[in-house]
Amino acid sequence: MSHRFTRRSLMAAGGLAPLAALAACSGETPGSGVAIDNATGLELPNHTPPPEVEGAIISEVEGVPPGYEKLPAELIKTVDSPPGDGSAVTEFKISWDAPAPPLEENMFWQSYNETLNVDYQPQIAPAANYDERLATLLAGGDLPDIVQLLDTAQSARAIRDGAFADLSPLLAGSAIDEWSNLANIREDQWRYVAYDGKIVGFPIDLPAYNNEFRYRQDWAEENGYPDPPADAEEFKELFSSFSKMGVDGRYGLADAPGTAMIAANAMFHVPIGWRHENGSLTYHQETEEFAEAVKFMTELWEAGAFHPDALSLDANVGQTLSMIPAGTVGISWIATANWFNPGVYYDALQEAPESWAAFVPPHHAGDGAGLFGRSTGVFARVGISAQAAEDEERLKMLLDYCNYLRAPFGSEEHYFLHYGAEGDYFTRSGGGDPQPVEGTSFQPEAAQLTYGLAPVVYDFAGAQDAITVNEQYVNNSEMDPCAGLFSDAATRAQPQLDELFESYVNQIIVGNRPLSDLEVYLEQWRSRGGDDMRTEFEEALKARENGE
């Protein structure tokens, strides 16, 4: 996968990011490591499908979330009693939201503690400095009970070093039947969160394609473009026209490489991660398709489509995202659900229904759709610390707690986690739709606290529309052939390769380096760890194919 483009953008948008950094770090010198398939030897937990819900919209395209445009009249109960034992439950987690009000001012937090019989004590890391906060946490050695582990070198080392519990004895095979909601986790997801044949956590769910592109349809029509762009040339014309509308602070594209590079990669069918042919791997940045995509990015820059501070905006996710509801950028690429659930993007669309329209970036020549990266179905792991697991009774309590958080749509537990206790934020009678309680605001108080293990569904009005668009992306998606393989060289080299990318490709895009420097960049990339990554992944793929 392309760590440089996707990781920052996807963390900001809640998007897809397959776990691909975890390493079997067997050496300290370049090339001395290995890549492994961590599902090898894994005894999978038994799988139990989630309960069927009347009115469900089930796509025939695998990987598209199920849709529910209304709640069932009667909710089912999936746990018999509160999962906690009254003790503190600590958790380190990521957030894209403003800080939740403190416990004493937060009605949901108080109700959460009472309902689950816990004293919930989260440590919440803003997405922008998650890596730094996680590194500090791991260096201290005293881990919370539960940790959300994104695809980072720090996470890789901590899992390798045994910082997180092996849950296999309690969850493999039929043992998981004690936790019926955890048993809803798919087999392919267990494989992607395993390490060295062991279950070391639970998945944070992700659709096969989590985000969608939207553009300012109202601006386009004003500029004489009644339809979304049909090829790369129309894409360039359209988004450069937004920057030339004479409105102060308005631009077609904000950050660079950013969202525009994701679209360019799609339009030029840049391979997803690696191209695997005849036993050999070619990194996507080594392909002619990528070179064409970078050339196109330089043309976008020269056409004036970008904000003049595009490079600095690429490093400031919060500012870039704020431009979407502010109406100062003409393109967005955020999680689909953001447009349908209450929040700043939903509010912006409600205020101007003809503004943000979904579209699928086309093939650059107008021959069909672009090519999009298919996720593994996993955004991150949720691990239980080995220290917390030393007490078997406490470990089982934490599994009960995670089982509650994994409650399926249509259950009482899922309803509580998404609407709060009856009468606090919403009221519901006669099996109808929840009605908001005047003067309350659920999302700001609850979203941070509940993020993590909930199964991904499109549970909003307009779910059918969201599914229809998502199907187009998934039908034109491919997965990185190295997904699920973990490379020592990738873990070690990625930070310096990210810097190398910024020094070369970013500067090529804005005209500070010639396009010919792309080959110089690739030579440096190969010598600074890229070739080592290739070798390790090729060996791991060969072992996977041989059933080793």
Side-chain angles (χ1 to χ4, degrees):
M1 72 180 167
S2 171
H3 294 258
R4 179 62 194 93
F5 307 139
T6 61
R7 194 171 182 289
R8 181 183 295 136
S9 302
L10 294 169
M11 285 179 66
L16 59 147
L19 297 164
L22 186 59
C25 298
S26 59
E28 297 299 327
T29 58
S32 67
V34 295
I36 60 174
D37 183 347
N38 278 316
T40 300
L42 174 67
E43 183 182 356
L44 290 165
N46 289 353
H47 174 66
T48 303
E52 294 184 3
V53 177
E54 184 179 356
I57 305 169
I58 307 299
S59 173
E60 294 183 359
V61 179
E62 183 180 357
V64 174
Y68 307 96
E69 297 203 338
K70 61 182 298 184
L71 285 161
E74 294 186 12
L75 303 176
I76 63 172
K77 193 174 183 64
T78 64
V79 300
D80 295 328
S81 60
D85 58 9
S87 64
V89 172
T90 56
E91 181 176 14
F92 176 81
K93 63 196 312 182
I94 190 172
S95 175
W96 295 268
D97 302 302
L103 174 62
E104 60 273 15
E105 302 172 13
N106 191 320
M107 182 166 55
F108 176 77
W109 197 339
Q110 296 167 24
S111 177
Y112 184 91
N113 283 348
E114 180 180 353
T115 302
L116 276 71
N117 193 27
V118 296
D119 174 15
Y120 184 50
Q121 299 178 12
Q123 301 176 39
I124 299 174
N129 65 352
Y130 169 88
D131 289 358
E132 179 183 349
R133 289 279 300 274
L134 179 64
T136 301
L137 180 75
L138 294 173
D142 188 15
L143 297 180
D145 298 319
I146 300 169
V147 179
Q148 293 184 0
L149 295 162
L150 272 67
D151 180 13
T152 70
Q154 293 95 330
S155 298
R157 286 192 292 269
I159 294 172
R160 177 206 66 194
D161 292 342
F164 297 95
D166 174 10
L167 304 176
S168 302
L170 290 173
L171 299 180
S174 61
I176 200 172
D177 293 346
E178 185 174 344
W179 295 280
S180 61
N181 296 334
L182 294 177
N184 297 161
I185 296 171
R186 302 192 311 270
E187 291 183 356
D188 61 293
Q189 292 178 304
W190 287 119
R191 290 189 178 95
Y192 283 115
V193 297
Y195 171 68
D196 197 22
K198 302 179 180 68
I199 299 170
V200 292
F202 313 107
I204 294 180
D205 273 13
L206 201 61
Y209 197 81
N210 190 52
N211 293 14
E212 68 179 29
F213 283 92
R214 291 198 174 216
Y215 76 111
R216 286 300 299 253
Q217 184 179 28
D218 51 344
W219 298 357
E221 291 177 350
E222 183 179 342
N223 289 357
Y225 298 94
D227 300 311
D231 55 34
E233 189 62 29
E234 287 190 12
F235 184 99
K236 180 173 63 178
E237 291 178 4
L238 175 65
F239 289 101
S240 59
S241 80
F242 292 166
S243 300
K244 300 170 184 176
M245 294 179 72
V247 179
D248 187 39
R250 178 184 291 181
Y251 297 94
L253 306 170
D255 51 335
T259 298
M261 189 79 237
I262 297 167
N265 282 349
M267 288 191 289
F268 286 87
H269 281 204
V270 176
I272 309 305
W274 297 83
R275 173 175 286 158
H276 188 216
E277 294 178 329
N278 302 318
S280 298
L281 287 170
T282 302
Y283 194 48
H284 71 277
Q285 294 176 6
E286 298 177 287
T287 64
E288 286 297 322
E289 292 90 339
F290 181 74
E292 289 298 315
V294 172
K295 181 176 181 292
F296 179 68
M297 290 288 288
T298 67
E299 294 172 2
L300 287 172
W301 179 264
E302 291 169 358
F306 282 102
H307 190 289
D309 296 327
L311 292 184
S312 61
L313 285 171
D314 190 55
N316 191 332
V317 171
Q319 184 179 352
T320 301
L321 291 175
S322 71
M323 295 174 70
I324 299 170
T328 55
V329 66
I331 195 170
S332 72
W333 185 69
I334 59 175
T336 297
N338 285 333
W339 294 108
F340 296 90
N341 288 322
V344 294
Y345 309 106
Y346 173 85
D347 292 343
L349 190 58
Q350 297 308 301
E351 291 173 8
E354 303 303 318
S355 56
W356 288 102
F359 80 109
V360 178
H363 182 261
H364 70 93
D367 183 19
L371 176 66
F372 305 94
R374 186 186 182 100
S375 85
T376 61
V378 177
F379 175 64
R381 291 178 180 83
V382 176
I384 295 177
S385 73
Q387 182 178 353
E390 290 176 357
D391 181 336
E392 186 172 348
E393 288 304 309
R394 181 163 182 78
L395 173 58
K396 288 185 176 181
M397 184 274 288
L398 291 172
L399 289 173
D400 290 343
Y401 175 79
C402 291
N403 184 68
Y404 188 105
L405 298 183
R406 185 72 193 188
F409 178 85
S411 68
E412 294 180 7
E413 298 79 19
H414 187 277
Y415 182 90
F416 170 74
L417 294 170
H418 289 75
Y419 293 95
E422 176 65 20
D424 284 354
Y425 302 89
F426 295 89
T427 59
R428 187 175 190 241
S429 60
D433 293 333
Q435 300 300 313
V437 173
E438 187 175 352
T440 66
S441 186
F442 178 76
Q443 285 295 114
E445 297 188 11
Q448 262 189 354
L449 306 180
T450 60
Y451 174 72
L453 289 176
V456 170
V457 297
Y458 286 166
D459 55 340
F460 41 70
Q464 181 62 72
D465 293 338
I467 287 172
T468 299
V469 173
N470 193 252
E471 287 174 339
Q472 296 178 63
Y473 283 106
V474 177
N475 279 330
N476 292 283
S477 69
E478 292 181 2
M479 188 181 294
D480 183 348
C482 295
L485 303 179
F486 305 106
S487 163
D488 182 11
T491 301
R492 284 197 313 268
Q494 200 58 57
Q496 67 171 325
L497 294 182
D498 286 350
E499 293 178 3
L500 186 69
F501 186 98
E502 292 178 356
S503 298
Y504 278 88
V505 181
N506 285 15
Q507 297 303 318
I508 290 172
I509 290 169
V510 300
N512 293 336
R513 283 183 180 272
L515 188 60
S516 58
D517 270 7
L518 184 59
E519 188 53 47
V520 180
Y521 160 73
L522 290 172
E523 291 173 2
Q524 291 290 313
W525 178 86
R526 295 180 186 108
S527 65
R528 296 189 187 187
D531 278 343
D532 294 328
M533 291 162 54
R534 186 195 328 275
T535 298
E536 292 178 8
F537 280 134
E538 286 175 348
E539 291 173 354
L541 284 170
K542 186 179 297 183
R544 174 190 279 177
E545 292 167 357
N546 292 336
E548 298 176 15

